[in-house]
Amino acid sequence: MKRCFSFTEVKNRCHKSSFIKSGLRSTTTDLQDGTIMHCWVPKTRKDSKPNLLLIHGLGANALWQWCDIFRQMMRYFNIYIPDLLFFGDSYTTRPERSEAFQAQCVMRVMEANSVKKLSLVGLSYGGFVGYSFAAQFSEAVERVVICCSGVCMEEKDLKEGVFRVSDLEEAARILVPQTPEKLRELMGFSLFKPPPLRLVPSCLLEDFIDVMCTEYIEEKKELIRAIPRDRRISDIPRISQPTLILWGEYDQIFPLELGHRLKRHLGDNAHLVVIKDAGHALNIEKPKEYHRHLKSFLVDLQPPPENENRKSSCNAAAELQPSK
């Protein structure tokens, strides 16, 4: 039942207003194949600035996931923020659910906006899409940031205890929550120090679910199922662009080991930075540190200090092992 007042709707309108006032405009691109892509683009693109593509993860639409960082990066870049398929106003009638297809749709939006060169940041599921984008369209991508995204996971990891939740269907129910209880679980998995979740009013959680999580439920679950299907590290291409890998020390959705795997996969071309005392939602828990690393890598074109790459993850790995 639709509520008379929705805190989530009000917050969403505030985010939209912030995007517009900051110099972005809402666009819709019809790809002429049953696919509609929504994207926030600059009202006026400045040729003197490089381009930056921000790719969101699962959960709320792009407004919510980039509402803090985009303003800080706009002074340096022309910013492009798409809604991935089945989020916000983007959707398709086509059956494809892979991150490769998502990346192809995003690229067609960039082409429609005459963007020829860009750097990108991919957050969680957006990291899968961003990595695929960089692999497929290497000539267009200058620098890559992958944030807490299990690009180098394998299908067998689900059976071998790498994840706290090894049942894919249960993981999908948490990542696409339909009840306050599942949303509380998601918050608990996402944050290193979540608030007392029992004290979060169910009415607020139900409101968020009503607004953000009730459309394209099955399609979003299909996106999740597609990630590990037949996935092997040996099949994952090695991207050639300079790459920064950011990871929360206590990530319970994509364990830190997957960050180390990605670093080993890419070799000297990549830098892994572990954000201390942060979980999967490092952009929420450590926003200043998050922005500092993005600016250093994307604007100042500096690799992280050597000691950042050597932070010990032994304690975090031990804590995240499933109990026997």
Side-chain angles (χ1 to χ4, degrees), residues 72 282-283 285-294:
Q72 301 176 68
L282 55 84
N283 56 317
E285 294 189 290
K286 299 287 183 176
K288 291 182 180 179
E289 195 168 347
Y290 181 56
H291 172 256
R292 175 168 61 84
H293 287 298
L294 291 181

Side-chain angles (χ1 to χ4, degrees), residues 142-208:
E142 297 174 321
R143 295 173 85 80
V144 175
V145 183
I146 302 295
C147 307
C148 48
S149 177
V151 171
C152 279
M153 70 173 289
E154 297 187 286
E155 186 173 27
K156 65 180 182 179
D157 290 333
L158 292 168
K159 297 180 180 179
E160 294 183 355
V162 172
F163 299 98
R164 288 285 298 271
V165 178
S166 58
D167 182 271
L168 190 58
E169 292 305 309
E170 177 60 17
R173 285 190 288 271
I174 295 171
L175 293 169
V176 190
Q178 295 302 299
T179 65
E181 292 72 29
K182 287 302 179 189
L183 185 49
R184 287 190 181 95
E185 281 189 68
L186 178 58
M187 294 167 66
F189 279 119
S190 299
L191 301 169
F192 170 53
K193 291 183 177 179
L197 296 176
R198 292 182 179 178
L199 300 182
V200 180
S202 291
C203 61
L204 289 180
L205 301 180
E206 289 171 350
D207 177 55
F208 181 85

Side-chain angles (χ1 to χ4, degrees), residues 94-166:
R94 291 180 56 167
E96 292 94 331
R97 299 292 182 263
S98 68
E99 65 258 35
F101 179 63
Q102 291 268 22
Q104 290 158 16
C105 293
V106 173
M107 183 57 179
R108 292 175 68 184
V109 174
M110 294 301 98
E111 291 172 343
N113 285 277
S114 302
V115 177
K116 294 180 172 59
K117 293 282 185 181
L118 58 84
S119 293
L120 67 84
V121 182
L123 181 62
S124 190
Y125 176 71
F128 288 91
V129 178
Y131 192 94
S132 180
F133 190 107
Q136 293 185 72
F137 311 109
S138 59
E139 71 289 345
V141 181
E142 297 174 321
R143 295 173 85 80
V144 175
V145 183
I146 302 295
C147 307
C148 48
S149 177
V151 171
C152 279
M153 70 173 289
E154 297 187 286
E155 186 173 27
K156 65 180 182 179
D157 290 333
L158 292 168
K159 297 180 180 179
E160 294 183 355
V162 172
F163 299 98
R164 288 285 298 271
V165 178
S166 58

Side-chain angles (χ1 to χ4, degrees), residues 51-283:
N51 302 308
L52 181 63
L53 173 63
L54 302 178
I55 308 177
H56 69 82
L58 298 173
N61 60 37
L63 289 167
W64 289 64
Q65 298 190 38
W66 297 113
C67 60
D68 293 322
I69 203 69
F70 89 95
R71 281 190 298 271
Q72 301 176 68
M73 302 306 286
M74 279 193 71
R75 70 186 70 175
Y76 310 110
F77 296 98
N78 298 306
I79 299 288
Y80 296 84
I81 307 178
D83 279 319
L84 295 177
L85 293 172
F86 307 119
F87 296 89
D89 294 324
S90 297
Y91 65 91
T92 187
T93 58
R94 291 180 56 167
E96 292 94 331
R97 299 292 182 263
S98 68
E99 65 258 35
F101 179 63
Q102 291 268 22
Q104 290 158 16
C105 293
V106 173
M107 183 57 179
R108 292 175 68 184
V109 174
M110 294 301 98
E111 291 172 343
N113 285 277
S114 302
V115 177
K116 294 180 172 59
K117 293 282 185 181
L118 58 84
S119 293
L120 67 84
V121 182
L123 181 62
S124 190
Y125 176 71
F128 288 91
V129 178
Y131 192 94
S132 180
F133 190 107
Q136 293 185 72
F137 311 109
S138 59
E139 71 289 345
V141 181
E142 297 174 321
R143 295 173 85 80
V144 175
V145 183
I146 302 295
C147 307
C148 48
S149 177
V151 171
C152 279
M153 70 173 289
E154 297 187 286
E155 186 173 27
K156 65 180 182 179
D157 290 333
L158 292 168
K159 297 180 180 179
E160 294 183 355
V162 172
F163 299 98
R164 288 285 298 271
V165 178
S166 58
D167 182 271
L168 190 58
E169 292 305 309
E170 177 60 17
R173 285 190 288 271
I174 295 171
L175 293 169
V176 190
Q178 295 302 299
T179 65
E181 292 72 29
K182 287 302 179 189
L183 185 49
R184 287 190 181 95
E185 281 189 68
L186 178 58
M187 294 167 66
F189 279 119
S190 299
L191 301 169
F192 170 53
K193 291 183 177 179
L197 296 176
R198 292 182 179 178
L199 300 182
V200 180
S202 291
C203 61
L204 289 180
L205 301 180
E206 289 171 350
D207 177 55
F208 181 85
I209 291 168
D210 285 347
V211 176
M212 290 291 166
C213 306
T214 54
E215 291 188 332
Y216 302 113
I217 296 170
E218 187 56 31
E219 289 85 351
K220 289 175 181 175
K221 289 182 178 181
E222 289 170 356
L223 297 177
I224 295 168
R225 295 181 190 118
I227 293 172
R229 189 176 299 136
D230 300 323
R231 196 178 192 93
R232 295 183 297 272
I233 291 180
S234 59
D235 296 331
I236 298 171
R238 287 181 173 85
I239 60 175
S240 58
Q241 300 89 346
T243 301
L244 175 64
I245 305 165
L246 293 178
W247 223 278
E249 182 181 14
Y250 296 102
D251 194 324
Q252 297 184 81
I253 292 180
F254 289 120
L256 179 55
E257 162 56 23
L258 296 177
H260 288 291
R261 275 192 206 174
L262 181 55
K263 166 67 179 112
R264 290 193 296 269
H265 187 67
L266 295 179
D268 293 339
N269 202 42
H271 300 275
L272 170 64
V273 173
V274 180
I275 307 295
K276 295 193 68 176
D277 297 331
H280 186 69
L282 55 84
N283 56 317

